[in-house]
Amino acid sequence: MPSTPRGPRGLHVASVRLAAVLAAVGRSREFIRQTLGDWQVPDQIDIAEVVVSELVTNAVKGTRTSTRTRTSSTDAAAECEDIGVQLRAMDTELYVEVWDAGDGSPVIPEQTLDAEGGRGLFLVEALSRRWGVYRPVVGGKIVWSELALAEPVKLPSLIEELPVHDPGGHGPVVGSRLEPVDIALVQRVLDGLRHLPDLWLAG
């Protein structure tokens, strides 16, 4: 009997833009806790917090490196000193995504007992179904991690506006214009939507 198409159970997206400073790690964890709590899918909060901590730490370092090494670059992404953190939920898939202006390729270094660092991506790989790097047309990179939800988000589909967090302030302030980080995260969502028809078919 032929399969019949069914609609998706709901796409949920929430994003935040943060200044590329060390305080962004704590802010990103707050964003994870708040968003997944609002979505009523608490089963992955702890793991998602660990993953976002590692990705944001690397993003802050990548942004600082990009800022130090740029000279007369006209690349809009290279001029951005913010990072972006995004959560996407679709069915039982949860994506933690972090954008930064750096153009490097993150790799997992060889793990040795006397290694002083480099365990962040090793931990991300261990906790994730999959992880990888996405190159948006606006520049920079999005490092993403896919986690599994015990059950889909039950709330109506939701795509939140991108706010701007000032790590020294007291909450989000809605940005007045799109930065490269905003455009990159939106592009990631749109590219994900292009694959939805394949996911709507029931077996």
Side-chain angles (χ1 to χ4, degrees):
M1 188 172 180
S3 59
T4 56
R6 61 179 174 84
R9 299 191 187 184
L11 170 68
H12 291 74
V13 182
S15 306
V16 66
R17 191 189 331 149
L18 304 168
V21 296
L22 292 179
V25 176
R27 294 282 180 171
S28 68
R29 293 173 70 99
E30 292 174 8
F31 168 71
I32 293 289
R33 287 195 302 271
Q34 180 66 49
T35 303
L36 294 184
D38 290 345
W39 290 357
Q40 300 176 27
V41 285
D43 57 295
Q44 286 288 19
I45 289 179
D46 291 342
I47 291 178
E49 279 191 72
V50 173
V51 169
V52 83
S53 294
E54 301 298 339
L55 297 185
V56 168
T57 297
N58 288 344
V60 170
K61 292 177 182 177
T63 301
R64 289 180 171 182
T65 300
S66 175
T67 301
R68 285 197 305 267
T69 57
R70 85 172 170 248
T71 53
S72 59
S73 173
T74 57
D75 182 1
E79 298 295 327
C80 183
E81 297 184 5
D82 290 341
I83 63 172
V85 179
Q86 182 162 273
L87 280 175
R88 285 191 300 126
M90 181 66 202
D91 203 20
T92 56
E93 296 174 349
L94 175 68
Y95 292 90
V96 180
E97 302 169 333
V98 178
W99 179 90
D100 69 76
D103 57 3
S105 296
V107 295
I108 300 176
E110 183 179 353
Q111 299 300 301
T112 60
L113 293 176
D114 58 350
E116 296 182 359
R119 292 190 172 89
L121 285 178
F122 180 80
L123 188 58
V124 170
E125 181 177 60
L127 294 174
S128 306
R129 273 179 170 176
R130 300 179 299 150
W131 75 279
V133 181
Y134 175 80
R135 303 286 181 180
V137 294
V138 74
K141 64 181 179 294
I142 294 174
V143 183
W144 57 268
S145 164
E146 180 187 330
L147 305 176
L149 294 174
E151 57 185 28
V153 179
K154 296 184 177 66
L155 302 176
S157 296
L158 173 67
I159 297 181
E160 295 187 356
E161 186 173 6
L162 284 160
V164 180
H165 257 305
D166 175 2
H170 300 285
V173 179
V174 175
S176 59
R177 65 188 180 93
L178 287 178
E179 297 286 349
V181 52
D182 308 327
I183 298 170
L185 293 177
V186 170
Q187 183 189 343
R188 176 69 173 158
V189 174
L190 294 176
D191 279 3
L193 288 172
R194 292 190 182 99
H195 299 290
L196 285 184
D198 296 333
L199 301 176
W200 291 354
L201 296 178

CSV table of all heavy atoms in Angstrom, one decimal, residues 82-142:
chain,number,residue,atom,x,y,z
A,82,ASP,N,30.4,39.3,17.2
A,82,ASP,CA,29.4,38.6,17.9
A,82,ASP,C,29.5,37.1,17.6
A,82,ASP,O,30.1,36.8,16.6
A,82,ASP,CB,28.0,39.1,17.6
A,82,ASP,CG,27.7,40.5,18.2
A,82,ASP,OD1,28.4,40.9,19.1
A,82,ASP,OD2,26.8,41.2,17.7
A,83,ILE,N,28.8,36.3,18.4
A,83,ILE,CA,28.6,34.9,18.0
A,83,ILE,C,27.1,34.7,18.1
A,83,ILE,O,26.4,35.4,18.7
A,83,ILE,CB,29.4,33.9,18.9
A,83,ILE,CG1,28.9,34.0,20.4
A,83,ILE,CG2,30.9,34.2,18.9
A,83,ILE,CD1,29.4,33.0,21.3
A,84,GLY,N,26.7,33.6,17.5
A,84,GLY,CA,25.2,33.2,17.5
A,84,GLY,C,25.0,31.8,18.0
A,84,GLY,O,25.8,30.9,17.7
A,85,VAL,N,24.0,31.7,18.8
A,85,VAL,CA,23.7,30.3,19.4
A,85,VAL,C,22.2,30.1,19.0
A,85,VAL,O,21.3,30.9,19.1
A,85,VAL,CB,23.8,30.3,20.9
A,85,VAL,CG1,23.4,28.9,21.4
A,85,VAL,CG2,25.2,30.7,21.3
A,86,GLN,N,22.0,28.9,18.4
A,86,GLN,CA,20.7,28.6,17.9
A,86,GLN,C,20.3,27.1,18.3
A,86,GLN,O,21.1,26.2,18.3
A,86,GLN,CB,20.6,28.6,16.4
A,86,GLN,CG,19.3,28.3,15.8
A,86,GLN,CD,19.2,28.9,14.3
A,86,GLN,OE1,18.9,30.0,14.1
A,86,GLN,NE2,19.6,28.0,13.4
A,87,LEU,N,19.0,27.0,18.7
A,87,LEU,CA,18.4,25.7,19.0
A,87,LEU,C,17.3,25.4,17.9
A,87,LEU,O,16.5,26.3,17.6
A,87,LEU,CB,17.8,25.6,20.3
A,87,LEU,CG,18.7,25.4,21.5
A,87,LEU,CD1,17.9,25.5,22.8
A,87,LEU,CD2,19.4,24.1,21.5
A,88,ARG,N,17.4,24.3,17.3
A,88,ARG,CA,16.3,23.9,16.3
A,88,ARG,C,15.8,22.5,16.8
A,88,ARG,O,16.6,21.6,17.0
A,88,ARG,CB,16.9,23.7,14.9
A,88,ARG,CG,17.1,25.1,14.2
A,88,ARG,CD,17.4,24.8,12.7
A,88,ARG,NE,18.5,24.0,12.5
A,88,ARG,CZ,18.5,22.9,11.7
A,88,ARG,NH1,17.4,22.5,11.1
A,88,ARG,NH2,19.6,22.2,11.5
A,89,ALA,N,14.5,22.4,16.8
A,89,ALA,CA,13.9,21.1,17.1
A,89,ALA,C,12.9,20.7,16.0
A,89,ALA,O,12.1,21.5,15.6
A,89,ALA,CB,13.2,21.1,18.5
A,90,MET,N,13.0,19.5,15.6
A,90,MET,CA,12.1,19.0,14.5
A,90,MET,C,11.9,17.5,14.8
A,90,MET,O,12.8,16.7,14.8
A,90,MET,CB,12.7,19.2,13.1
A,90,MET,CG,11.8,18.7,12.0
A,90,MET,SD,10.3,19.7,11.9
A,90,MET,CE,9.3,18.5,11.0
A,91,ASP,N,10.6,17.1,15.1
A,91,ASP,CA,10.3,15.8,15.5
A,91,ASP,C,11.2,15.4,16.7
A,91,ASP,O,11.1,16.1,17.7
A,91,ASP,CB,10.5,14.8,14.3
A,91,ASP,CG,9.7,13.6,14.4
A,91,ASP,OD1,8.7,13.6,15.2
A,91,ASP,OD2,10.1,12.6,13.8
A,92,THR,N,12.0,14.4,16.6
A,92,THR,CA,12.8,14.0,17.8
A,92,THR,C,14.3,14.4,17.6
A,92,THR,O,15.1,13.8,18.3
A,92,THR,CB,12.7,12.5,18.1
A,92,THR,OG1,13.1,11.8,16.9
A,92,THR,CG2,11.3,12.1,18.5
A,93,GLU,N,14.5,15.3,16.7
A,93,GLU,CA,15.9,15.8,16.5
A,93,GLU,C,16.0,17.2,17.1
A,93,GLU,O,15.2,18.1,16.9
A,93,GLU,CB,16.2,15.9,15.0
A,93,GLU,CG,16.2,14.5,14.3
A,93,GLU,CD,16.3,14.6,12.8
A,93,GLU,OE1,16.3,15.8,12.3
A,93,GLU,OE2,16.5,13.6,12.2
A,94,LEU,N,17.1,17.4,17.8
A,94,LEU,CA,17.5,18.7,18.4
A,94,LEU,C,18.8,19.1,18.0
A,94,LEU,O,19.8,18.3,18.1
A,94,LEU,CB,17.4,18.6,19.9
A,94,LEU,CG,17.9,19.9,20.7
A,94,LEU,CD1,16.8,21.0,20.5
A,94,LEU,CD2,18.0,19.6,22.2
A,95,TYR,N,19.0,20.3,17.4
A,95,TYR,CA,20.3,20.8,16.9
A,95,TYR,C,20.7,21.9,17.8
A,95,TYR,O,20.0,22.9,18.0
A,95,TYR,CB,20.2,21.2,15.5
A,95,TYR,CG,19.9,20.1,14.5
A,95,TYR,CD1,18.6,19.7,14.2
A,95,TYR,CD2,21.0,19.4,14.0
A,95,TYR,CE1,18.4,18.7,13.3
A,95,TYR,CE2,20.8,18.4,13.1
A,95,TYR,CZ,19.5,18.0,12.7
A,95,TYR,OH,19.3,16.9,11.9
A,96,VAL,N,21.9,21.9,18.3
A,96,VAL,CA,22.6,23.0,18.9
A,96,VAL,C,23.6,23.5,17.9
A,96,VAL,O,24.5,22.8,17.4
A,96,VAL,CB,23.4,22.5,20.2
A,96,VAL,CG1,24.1,23.7,20.9
A,96,VAL,CG2,22.4,21.8,21.2
A,97,GLU,N,23.5,24.8,17.6
A,97,GLU,CA,24.3,25.4,16.5
A,97,GLU,C,24.9,26.7,17.0
A,97,GLU,O,24.2,27.5,17.6
A,97,GLU,CB,23.4,25.7,15.3
A,97,GLU,CG,22.7,24.4,14.8
A,97,GLU,CD,21.6,24.6,13.8
A,97,GLU,OE1,21.0,25.7,13.8
A,97,GLU,OE2,21.4,23.7,13.0
A,98,VAL,N,26.2,26.8,16.7
A,98,VAL,CA,26.9,28.0,17.1
A,98,VAL,C,27.7,28.6,16.0
A,98,VAL,O,28.5,27.9,15.3
A,98,VAL,CB,27.9,27.7,18.3
A,98,VAL,CG1,28.7,29.0,18.7
A,98,VAL,CG2,27.1,27.2,19.5
A,99,TRP,N,27.5,29.9,15.7
A,99,TRP,CA,28.1,30.6,14.6
A,99,TRP,C,29.2,31.5,15.1
A,99,TRP,O,29.1,32.1,16.2
A,99,TRP,CB,27.2,31.5,13.8
A,99,TRP,CG,27.8,32.2,12.7
A,99,TRP,CD1,27.9,31.8,11.4
A,99,TRP,CD2,28.4,33.6,12.7
A,99,TRP,NE1,28.6,32.8,10.6
A,99,TRP,CE2,28.9,33.9,11.4
A,99,TRP,CE3,28.6,34.5,13.7
A,99,TRP,CZ2,29.5,35.1,11.1
A,99,TRP,CZ3,29.2,35.7,13.5
A,99,TRP,CH2,29.7,36.0,12.1
A,100,ASP,N,30.4,31.5,14.4
A,100,ASP,CA,31.4,32.5,14.7
A,100,ASP,C,32.0,33.0,13.4
A,100,ASP,O,31.8,32.4,12.4
A,100,ASP,CB,32.4,32.0,15.7
A,100,ASP,CG,33.3,30.9,15.1
A,100,ASP,OD1,34.2,31.3,14.3
A,100,ASP,OD2,33.1,29.7,15.4
A,101,ALA,N,32.7,34.1,13.5
A,101,ALA,CA,33.3,34.7,12.2
A,101,ALA,C,34.5,34.0,11.7
A,101,ALA,O,35.0,34.3,10.6
A,101,ALA,CB,33.6,36.2,12.5
A,102,GLY,N,35.1,33.1,12.5
A,102,GLY,CA,36.3,32.4,12.0
A,102,GLY,C,36.0,31.5,10.8
A,102,GLY,O,35.0,31.0,10.7
A,103,ASP,N,37.1,31.3,10.0
A,103,ASP,CA,36.9,30.4,8.9
A,103,ASP,C,37.7,29.1,9.0
A,103,ASP,O,37.9,28.4,8.0
A,103,ASP,CB,37.3,31.2,7.6
A,103,ASP,CG,38.8,31.7,7.7
A,103,ASP,OD1,39.5,31.4,8.7
A,103,ASP,OD2,39.2,32.3,6.7
A,104,GLY,N,38.2,28.9,10.2
A,104,GLY,CA,39.0,27.6,10.4
A,104,GLY,C,38.1,26.4,10.3
A,104,GLY,O,36.9,26.5,10.3
A,105,SER,N,38.7,25.2,10.3
A,105,SER,CA,38.0,24.0,10.4
A,105,SER,C,38.3,23.3,11.7
A,105,SER,O,39.4,22.8,11.9
A,105,SER,CB,38.4,23.1,9.2
A,105,SER,OG,38.1,23.7,8.0
A,106,PRO,N,37.3,23.2,12.6
A,106,PRO,CA,37.6,22.5,13.9
A,106,PRO,C,37.9,21.0,13.7
A,106,PRO,O,37.2,20.4,12.9
A,106,PRO,CB,36.3,22.8,14.6
A,106,PRO,CG,35.2,23.0,13.6
A,106,PRO,CD,36.0,23.7,12.5
A,107,VAL,N,38.8,20.6,14.4
A,107,VAL,CA,39.2,19.1,14.3
A,107,VAL,C,39.4,18.6,15.7
A,107,VAL,O,39.7,19.4,16.6
A,107,VAL,CB,40.5,18.9,13.5
A,107,VAL,CG1,40.2,19.2,12.0
A,107,VAL,CG2,41.6,19.7,14.0
A,108,ILE,N,39.2,17.3,15.9
A,108,ILE,CA,39.4,16.7,17.2
A,108,ILE,C,40.9,16.3,17.3
A,108,ILE,O,41.3,15.4,16.5
A,108,ILE,CB,38.5,15.5,17.4
A,108,ILE,CG1,37.0,16.0,17.3
A,108,ILE,CG2,38.8,14.8,18.7
A,108,ILE,CD1,36.1,14.8,17.4
A,109,PRO,N,41.7,16.9,18.1
A,109,PRO,CA,43.1,16.5,18.2
A,109,PRO,C,43.2,15.1,18.8
A,109,PRO,O,42.3,14.6,19.5
A,109,PRO,CB,43.7,17.6,19.1
A,109,PRO,CG,42.6,18.0,20.0
A,109,PRO,CD,41.3,17.9,19.1
A,110,GLU,N,44.4,14.5,18.6
A,110,GLU,CA,44.7,13.2,19.2
A,110,GLU,C,44.6,13.4,20.8
A,110,GLU,O,45.2,14.3,21.3
A,110,GLU,CB,46.0,12.7,18.8
A,110,GLU,CG,46.4,11.3,19.3
A,110,GLU,CD,47.7,10.8,18.8
A,110,GLU,OE1,48.3,11.5,18.0
A,110,GLU,OE2,48.2,9.8,19.3
A,111,GLN,N,43.9,12.5,21.4
A,111,GLN,CA,43.8,12.5,22.9
A,111,GLN,C,44.9,11.8,23.5
A,111,GLN,O,45.1,10.6,23.3
A,111,GLN,CB,42.4,12.0,23.3
A,111,GLN,CG,41.2,12.8,22.7
A,111,GLN,CD,41.2,14.2,23.1
A,111,GLN,OE1,41.2,14.5,24.3
A,111,GLN,NE2,41.3,15.1,22.1
A,112,THR,N,45.7,12.5,24.4
A,112,THR,CA,46.7,11.8,25.2
A,112,THR,C,46.5,12.2,26.6
A,112,THR,O,45.9,13.2,27.0
A,112,THR,CB,48.1,12.3,24.7
A,112,THR,OG1,48.2,13.7,24.8
A,112,THR,CG2,48.3,11.9,23.2
A,113,LEU,N,47.1,11.4,27.5
A,113,LEU,CA,47.0,11.6,28.9
A,113,LEU,C,47.6,13.0,29.4
A,113,LEU,O,47.1,13.6,30.3
A,113,LEU,CB,47.6,10.5,29.7
A,113,LEU,CG,47.0,9.1,29.5
A,113,LEU,CD1,47.8,8.1,30.3
A,113,LEU,CD2,45.5,9.1,30.1
A,114,ASP,N,48.6,13.4,28.7
A,114,ASP,CA,49.3,14.7,29.1
A,114,ASP,C,48.8,15.9,28.3
A,114,ASP,O,49.3,17.0,28.4
A,114,ASP,CB,50.8,14.6,29.0
A,114,ASP,CG,51.2,14.2,27.6
A,114,ASP,OD1,50.4,13.9,26.7
A,114,ASP,OD2,52.4,14.3,27.3
A,115,ALA,N,47.7,15.7,27.5
A,115,ALA,CA,47.2,16.8,26.7
A,115,ALA,C,46.6,17.9,27.6
A,115,ALA,O,45.9,17.6,28.6
A,115,ALA,CB,46.2,16.4,25.7
A,116,GLU,N,46.9,19.2,27.3
A,116,GLU,CA,46.4,20.3,28.2
A,116,GLU,C,45.1,20.9,27.7
A,116,GLU,O,44.5,21.7,28.4
A,116,GLU,CB,47.5,21.4,28.3
A,116,GLU,CG,48.8,20.9,29.0
A,116,GLU,CD,49.8,22.0,29.1
A,116,GLU,OE1,49.5,23.1,28.6
A,116,GLU,OE2,50.9,21.8,29.6
A,117,GLY,N,44.7,20.5,26.5
A,117,GLY,CA,43.4,21.0,26.0
A,117,GLY,C,43.0,20.2,24.8
A,117,GLY,O,43.5,19.1,24.6
A,118,GLY,N,42.0,20.7,24.1
A,118,GLY,CA,41.5,20.0,22.9
A,118,GLY,C,40.5,19.0,23.2
A,118,GLY,O,40.1,18.2,22.3
A,119,ARG,N,40.0,18.9,24.4
A,119,ARG,CA,39.0,17.8,24.7
A,119,ARG,C,37.6,18.3,24.4
A,119,ARG,O,36.6,17.5,24.5
A,119,ARG,CB,39.1,17.4,26.2
A,119,ARG,CG,40.4,16.6,26.5
A,119,ARG,CD,40.4,16.0,27.9
A,119,ARG,NE,41.5,15.1,28.1
A,119,ARG,CZ,42.7,15.6,28.5
A,119,ARG,NH1,42.9,16.8,28.9
A,119,ARG,NH2,43.7,14.7,28.7
A,120,GLY,N,37.3,19.5,24.1
A,120,GLY,CA,36.0,20.0,23.9
A,120,GLY,C,35.3,19.3,22.8
A,120,GLY,O,34.2,18.8,23.0
A,121,LEU,N,35.8,19.3,21.6
A,121,LEU,CA,35.2,18.7,20.5
A,121,LEU,C,35.1,17.1,20.6
A,121,LEU,O,34.2,16.5,20.2
A,121,LEU,CB,35.9,19.0,19.2
A,121,LEU,CG,35.7,20.4,18.6
A,121,LEU,CD1,36.5,20.6,17.3
A,121,LEU,CD2,34.2,20.7,18.4
A,122,PHE,N,36.1,16.6,21.3
A,122,PHE,CA,36.0,15.1,21.7
A,122,PHE,C,34.8,14.9,22.5
A,122,PHE,O,34.1,13.9,22.3
A,122,PHE,CB,37.3,14.7,22.4
A,122,PHE,CG,37.3,13.3,22.8
A,122,PHE,CD1,37.7,12.3,21.9
A,122,PHE,CD2,37.0,12.9,24.1
A,122,PHE,CE1,37.7,11.0,22.2
A,122,PHE,CE2,37.0,11.6,24.4
A,122,PHE,CZ,37.4,10.6,23.5
A,123,LEU,N,34.5,15.7,23.4
A,123,LEU,CA,33.3,15.6,24.3
A,123,LEU,C,32.0,15.8,23.5
A,123,LEU,O,31.0,15.1,23.6
A,123,LEU,CB,33.4,16.6,25.4
A,123,LEU,CG,32.3,16.5,26.5
A,123,LEU,CD1,32.4,15.1,27.2
A,123,LEU,CD2,32.6,17.6,27.6
A,124,VAL,N,32.0,16.8,22.6
A,124,VAL,CA,30.9,17.1,21.7
A,124,VAL,C,30.6,15.8,20.9
A,124,VAL,O,29.4,15.4,20.7
A,124,VAL,CB,31.1,18.3,20.8
A,124,VAL,CG1,30.0,18.4,19.8
A,124,VAL,CG2,31.2,19.6,21.7
A,125,GLU,N,31.6,15.2,20.3
A,125,GLU,CA,31.4,14.0,19.5
A,125,GLU,C,30.8,12.9,20.3
A,125,GLU,O,29.9,12.2,19.8
A,125,GLU,CB,32.7,13.6,18.8
A,125,GLU,CG,32.6,12.4,17.9
A,125,GLU,CD,33.9,12.0,17.3
A,125,GLU,OE1,34.8,11.7,18.0
A,125,GLU,OE2,33.9,12.0,16.0
A,126,ALA,N,31.3,12.7,21.5
A,126,ALA,CA,30.8,11.6,22.4
A,126,ALA,C,29.4,11.8,22.7
A,126,ALA,O,28.6,10.8,22.9
A,126,ALA,CB,31.7,11.5,23.6
A,127,LEU,N,28.9,13.0,22.9
A,127,LEU,CA,27.6,13.3,23.4
A,127,LEU,C,26.5,13.4,22.2
A,127,LEU,O,25.3,13.4,22.5
A,127,LEU,CB,27.5,14.6,24.2
A,127,LEU,CG,28.3,14.5,25.5
A,127,LEU,CD1,28.3,15.9,26.2
A,127,LEU,CD2,27.7,13.5,26.5
A,128,SER,N,27.0,13.6,21.0
A,128,SER,CA,26.1,13.9,19.9
A,128,SER,C,25.9,12.6,19.0
A,128,SER,O,26.7,11.7,18.9
A,128,SER,CB,26.8,14.9,19.0
A,128,SER,OG,27.1,16.1,19.7
A,129,ARG,N,24.7,12.6,18.4
A,129,ARG,CA,24.4,11.7,17.3
A,129,ARG,C,25.4,11.9,16.2
A,129,ARG,O,26.0,11.0,15.7
A,129,ARG,CB,23.0,11.8,16.8
A,129,ARG,CG,21.9,11.1,17.5
A,129,ARG,CD,20.6,11.5,16.8
A,129,ARG,NE,19.5,10.6,17.2
A,129,ARG,CZ,18.2,10.8,16.8
A,129,ARG,NH1,18.0,11.8,15.9
A,129,ARG,NH2,17.2,10.1,17.2
A,130,ARG,N,25.5,13.2,15.8
A,130,ARG,CA,26.4,13.6,14.8
A,130,ARG,C,26.8,15.0,15.1
A,130,ARG,O,26.1,15.7,15.8
A,130,ARG,CB,25.7,13.6,13.4
A,130,ARG,CG,25.1,12.3,12.9
A,130,ARG,CD,24.4,12.5,11.5
A,130,ARG,NE,23.3,13.4,11.6
A,130,ARG,CZ,22.9,14.1,10.6
A,130,ARG,NH1,23.6,14.1,9.4
A,130,ARG,NH2,21.8,14.9,10.7
A,131,TRP,N,27.9,15.5,14.5
A,131,TRP,CA,28.2,16.9,14.6
A,131,TRP,C,29.0,17.3,13.3
A,131,TRP,O,29.4,16.4,12.6
A,131,TRP,CB,29.1,17.2,15.8
A,131,TRP,CG,30.5,16.7,15.7
A,131,TRP,CD1,30.9,15.5,15.9
A,131,TRP,CD2,31.6,17.5,15.3
A,131,TRP,NE1,32.3,15.4,15.7
A,131,TRP,CE2,32.7,16.6,15.4
A,131,TRP,CE3,31.8,18.8,15.0
A,131,TRP,CZ2,34.0,17.1,15.1
A,131,TRP,CZ3,33.1,19.3,14.7
A,131,TRP,CH2,34.2,18.4,14.7
A,132,GLY,N,29.0,18.5,13.0
A,132,GLY,CA,29.7,18.9,11.8
A,132,GLY,C,29.8,20.4,11.7
A,132,GLY,O,29.5,21.2,12.6
A,133,VAL,N,30.3,20.9,10.5
A,133,VAL,CA,30.5,22.3,10.3
A,133,VAL,C,29.7,22.7,9.0
A,133,VAL,O,29.7,22.0,8.0
A,133,VAL,CB,32.0,22.6,10.0
A,133,VAL,CG1,32.2,24.1,9.8
A,133,VAL,CG2,32.8,22.1,11.2
A,134,TYR,N,29.0,23.8,9.1
A,134,TYR,CA,28.2,24.3,8.1
A,134,TYR,C,28.8,25.7,7.6
A,134,TYR,O,29.1,26.5,8.5
A,134,TYR,CB,26.7,24.5,8.5
A,134,TYR,CG,25.8,25.1,7.5
A,134,TYR,CD1,25.2,24.4,6.5
A,134,TYR,CD2,25.4,26.5,7.7
A,134,TYR,CE1,24.4,25.0,5.6
A,134,TYR,CE2,24.5,27.1,6.8
A,134,TYR,CZ,24.0,26.3,5.8
A,134,TYR,OH,23.1,26.9,4.9
A,135,ARG,N,28.9,25.9,6.3
A,135,ARG,CA,29.5,27.2,5.8
A,135,ARG,C,28.4,28.0,5.2
A,135,ARG,O,28.0,27.8,4.1
A,135,ARG,CB,30.6,26.9,4.8
A,135,ARG,CG,31.7,25.9,5.3
A,135,ARG,CD,32.6,26.7,6.2
A,135,ARG,NE,33.7,25.8,6.7
A,135,ARG,CZ,34.7,26.1,7.5
A,135,ARG,NH1,34.7,27.4,7.9
A,135,ARG,NH2,35.6,25.3,7.9
A,136,PRO,N,27.9,29.0,5.9
A,136,PRO,CA,26.9,29.9,5.3
A,136,PRO,C,27.5,30.8,4.3
A,136,PRO,O,28.7,31.2,4.3
A,136,PRO,CB,26.4,30.7,6.6
A,136,PRO,CG,27.5,30.7,7.5
A,136,PRO,CD,28.2,29.4,7.3
A,137,VAL,N,26.7,31.3,3.3
A,137,VAL,CA,27.2,32.1,2.3
A,137,VAL,C,27.7,33.5,2.8
A,137,VAL,O,28.5,34.1,2.2
A,137,VAL,CB,26.1,32.3,1.2
A,137,VAL,CG1,25.8,31.0,0.5
A,137,VAL,CG2,24.8,32.9,1.8
A,138,VAL,N,27.2,33.9,3.9
A,138,VAL,CA,27.6,35.2,4.4
A,138,VAL,C,29.0,35.2,5.0
A,138,VAL,O,29.6,36.2,5.3
A,138,VAL,CB,26.6,35.7,5.5
A,138,VAL,CG1,26.7,34.9,6.8
A,138,VAL,CG2,26.7,37.2,5.7
A,139,GLY,N,29.5,34.0,5.3
A,139,GLY,CA,30.8,33.8,5.8
A,139,GLY,C,30.8,33.2,7.2
A,139,GLY,O,29.8,33.0,7.8
A,140,GLY,N,32.0,33.0,7.8
A,140,GLY,CA,32.1,32.4,9.1
A,140,GLY,C,31.7,30.9,9.0
A,140,GLY,O,31.7,30.3,7.9
A,141,LYS,N,31.4,30.3,10.2
A,141,LYS,CA,31.0,28.9,10.2
A,141,LYS,C,30.0,28.7,11.3
A,141,LYS,O,30.0,29.4,12.3
A,141,LYS,CB,32.3,28.1,10.4
A,141,LYS,CG,33.0,28.2,11.7
A,141,LYS,CD,34.2,27.3,11.8
A,141,LYS,CE,34.9,27.5,13.2
A,141,LYS,NZ,35.5,28.9,13.3
A,142,ILE,N,29.2,27.7,11.1
A,142,ILE,CA,28.3,27.2,12.1
A,142,ILE,C,28.8,25.8,12.5
A,142,ILE,O,28.8,24.9,11.6
A,142,ILE,CB,26.9,27.1,11.7
A,142,ILE,CG1,26.4,28.6,11.5
A,142,ILE,CG2,26.0,26.4,12.7
A,142,ILE,CD1,25.0,28.6,10.9
